[in-house]
Amino acid sequence: MIDIVKRDWIWYPEISMKKKLRVILYGNTIILAGIHLSLAANPSLEVQALDPSQGSEPDLLALRPDVIIFDTHSIQPEFHFNLIQRCSGLQLIGIDPDKAQVLVWSGQQLSELTSQELVEVIQKNR
């Protein structure tokens, strides 16, 4: 990403070192293909598709994703629970096309929260 930066009276391009988020679309459904086209246009994202029949869970994790998006109808129910437990900081997004819902699971791990901190977590993620 290149930004134009003004320093005093000189304008010059500056290369931004912002890390792109690695988004993996896990599955080969029509809904994921449409999402892939939409997200690939965003310069802050590195988007890649992985067909579950071509790659296993270890293959998926080897890609070191920040976000995994999947169609909830095309995976086993325990899929997201296994990944969240194994990868701290991973965000999973399940798309349910029948209900037009997006379900988000976060791998954020919190420990020893006070009641007030728990309330803040609940309100933040509301």
Side-chain angles (χ1 to χ4, degrees), residues 108 110 117-126:
Q108 181 182 14
L110 306 171
E117 290 169 332
L118 182 58
V119 169
E120 290 170 8
V121 168
I122 292 167
Q123 290 173 338
K124 178 182 174 189
N125 294 308
R126 199 174 137 207

Side-chain angles (χ1 to χ4, degrees), residues 19-27 36 46-52 54-69 79 83 86-87 90:
K19 177 187 175 270
K20 288 185 175 188
L21 288 176
R22 181 170 291 159
V23 178
I24 305 298
L25 298 161
Y26 191 65
H36 190 185
E46 177 186 330
V47 182
Q48 184 176 350
L50 180 65
D51 186 335
Q54 303 296 317
S56 63
E57 188 176 305
D59 296 327
L60 175 62
L61 295 176
L63 296 172
R64 300 182 54 199
D66 297 300
V67 179
I68 298 173
I69 300 175
F79 169 80
L83 287 175
R86 292 178 63 190
C87 300
L90 178 64

